[in-house]
Amino acid sequence: MNANTSRRNAAEREEGAQLFDRTTRDLPPGRHQFHKERMMAQIHETQAEERTAAKAAAPARTRRFQLPRPAILLPALAAALAGVVVAGVVASGGSGVKDEGVATGPALTTTVGTATSKGVPQLLDRIALAAAEGGQPAVGPGQYIYIESRTATTFLKTVDDKTTLASDELHTRQVWESPDGTKGWLIDPAVNDSPEGETLSLPDEQGNTPEANLNAPSYDYLAELTTDPDTLLAKIYKETEGQGNTPDQQAFATIGDLLNESYPPAELYSALFKTAAKIPGVVVVDDAVDAVGRHGVAVARLDETSGQREEWIFDKKTHVFLGERIVQVNENSGEDALIKPGTVVYTSAIINRAIVDGIKQTPSKTG
């Protein structure tokens, strides 16, 4: 969360929110949630700046403020609809409210796991080996990459100048994408206006066909990337320059995005873990829980600016990637202090990653 966010007036903020709402629909899978978190963070900081300026210039006044969408990227390990708490996560206080397609409720919390730098290279070597041995079937002409996950978010919600901590309920997210990234579909109640979902196909609503890149990759784009860890890391640093709070944290987040909701070819998939091992500050968390309650070991990195730790969770025996989560580890100041250590800001669990023969087909419904 950038402390140097420039000031915007109300009209500019509204215009930005509308632009965000349009453009996120056209992003390839995996980018919607992260863009939401960053946009919401910027809006939150802008709002705080404007409140400070208003207090200095005029008497206090009540003002209604509506965030573009309550769902963030960076996201119950909280329970399902019956109110059962998923293992490792506690829902504390509050009641559910329906808003923009998914119910909102209390903040998601967990026990902050102990992190250590010992054993990081060895663990990532084992994960890379497991990835190489597991293989990844190639995507053929006319086929689509299908990824199904369960995801949820905790976020700051401001209404009538009062900010509270809330969360989206744990829900299913499904994405389909063609190998070249020009055709796709998204079903995610935290994003969609319709339960049928919406197209991710290009060109977008403005008639543009953006080129694939590290932050919005297609399968064909990933297939052309180098698999040499040093060269790949240099490319990540170069192409993400100026993004995130630090170059190292952004590099880690970029690789995390590729793991969570893309389909890297087998050789690249293995190379991503070897690349991550070269980023300073990477640690191991012995016990972490994904969005559906599966325990695993996490490869993680702490963002010193936000105090949040991004954790990639792997099965302790097979080293298969289970999902990821972002946990608040350090205390914050101001309204961000509402996000207490132990808050699960975002959680995701991969349920299925497969190749299918058409949009809206699932592995159990192909043919």
Side-chain angles (χ1 to χ4, degrees):
M1 312 210 177
N2 193 341
N4 296 318
T5 302
S6 61
R7 186 185 308 274
R8 287 182 289 174
N9 61 31
E12 290 172 325
R13 185 171 60 248
E14 178 64 22
E15 180 182 359
Q18 293 174 357
L19 177 61
F20 170 76
D21 188 60
R22 292 196 305 269
T23 56
T24 51
R25 299 174 185 278
D26 301 309
L27 288 172
R31 299 310 306 166
H32 294 81
Q33 307 246 25
F34 283 99
H35 279 284
K36 282 181 190 162
E37 190 274 344
R38 288 166 185 158
M39 174 66 81
M40 291 177 72
Q42 291 172 359
I43 292 173
H44 173 64
E45 290 168 0
T46 301
Q47 179 199 6
E49 290 177 356
E50 290 178 347
R51 265 203 312 275
T52 301
K55 288 178 180 178
R61 59 184 179 181
T62 302
R63 179 169 58 85
R64 187 172 188 84
F65 180 74
Q66 176 84 30
L67 292 175
R69 291 181 186 273
I72 324 181
L73 138 149
L74 288 193
L77 291 200
L81 296 176
V84 179
V85 177
V86 176
V89 177
V90 179
S92 56
S95 59
V97 178
K98 187 73 174 176
D99 193 276
E100 291 287 347
V102 294
T104 60
L108 314 175
T109 62
T110 189
T111 300
V112 177
T114 302
T116 178
S117 59
K118 294 181 180 180
V120 172
Q122 293 84 354
L123 175 60
L124 282 167
D125 277 346
R126 292 194 295 272
I127 293 171
L129 180 61
E133 291 177 344
Q136 293 268 59
V139 186
Q143 293 186 310
Y144 290 83
I145 297 155
Y146 170 76
I147 301 175
E148 178 183 342
S149 60
R150 296 280 285 167
T151 184
T153 308
T154 296
F155 54 92
L156 289 172
K157 184 174 183 178
T158 302
V159 179
D160 292 332
D161 215 28
K162 180 180 179 180
T163 301
T164 57
L165 204 58
S167 70
D168 293 328
E169 70 176 8
L170 188 66
H171 62 278
T172 297
R173 174 180 169 90
Q174 297 170 285
V175 291
W176 291 260
E177 185 181 32
S178 62
D180 64 3
T182 62
K183 297 179 182 178
W185 196 264
L186 169 69
I187 299 177
D188 183 341
V191 175
N192 303 145
D193 294 325
S194 164
E196 295 298 315
E198 57 195 281
T199 183
L200 296 174
S201 298
L202 299 174
D204 61 21
E205 293 176 357
Q206 289 75 44
N208 302 316
T209 303
E211 292 186 5
N213 57 71
L214 281 171
N215 285 330
S218 66
Y219 176 81
D220 290 347
Y221 172 85
L222 294 175
E224 297 298 321
L225 285 181
T226 178
T227 56
D228 175 75
D230 291 309
T231 306
L232 180 57
L233 185 57
K235 178 180 179 63
I236 292 173
Y237 279 129
K238 181 178 180 180
E239 294 200 9
T240 62
E241 184 177 358
Q243 300 176 23
N245 286 324
T246 67
D248 291 334
Q249 189 63 35
Q250 183 59 35
F252 189 81
T254 298
I255 295 175
D257 287 358
L258 297 178
L259 299 178
N260 194 49
E261 206 170 71
S262 74
Y263 190 84
E267 191 174 354
L268 175 64
Y269 190 56
S270 179
L272 288 173
F273 301 113
K274 298 177 182 179
T275 303
K278 296 178 176 293
I279 301 174
V282 176
V283 297
V284 173
V285 179
D286 186 57
D287 186 57
V289 188
D290 74 3
V292 295
R294 298 176 297 193
H295 285 257
V297 60
V299 174
R301 193 178 192 284
L302 176 66
D303 185 334
E304 297 286 354
T305 304
S306 68
Q308 295 175 357
R309 188 169 69 196
E310 180 172 344
E311 301 176 352
W312 308 338
I313 305 170
F314 300 86
D315 184 276
K316 291 185 178 182
K317 293 182 178 179
T318 65
H319 298 113
V320 169
F321 179 72
L322 300 178
E324 70 169 325
R325 69 179 184 178
I326 296 175
V327 178
Q328 188 72 40
V329 172
N330 295 338
E331 294 277 359
N332 270 320
S333 60
E335 284 185 350
D336 286 340
L338 291 171
I339 309 176
K340 303 291 186 183
T343 300
V344 180
V345 180
Y346 167 72
T347 182
S348 176
I350 299 298
I351 304 302
N352 206 334
R353 196 189 309 253
I355 299 171
V356 296
D357 293 326
I359 284 180
K360 296 187 181 181
Q361 285 188 353
T362 63
S364 60
K365 297 180 180 179
T366 55

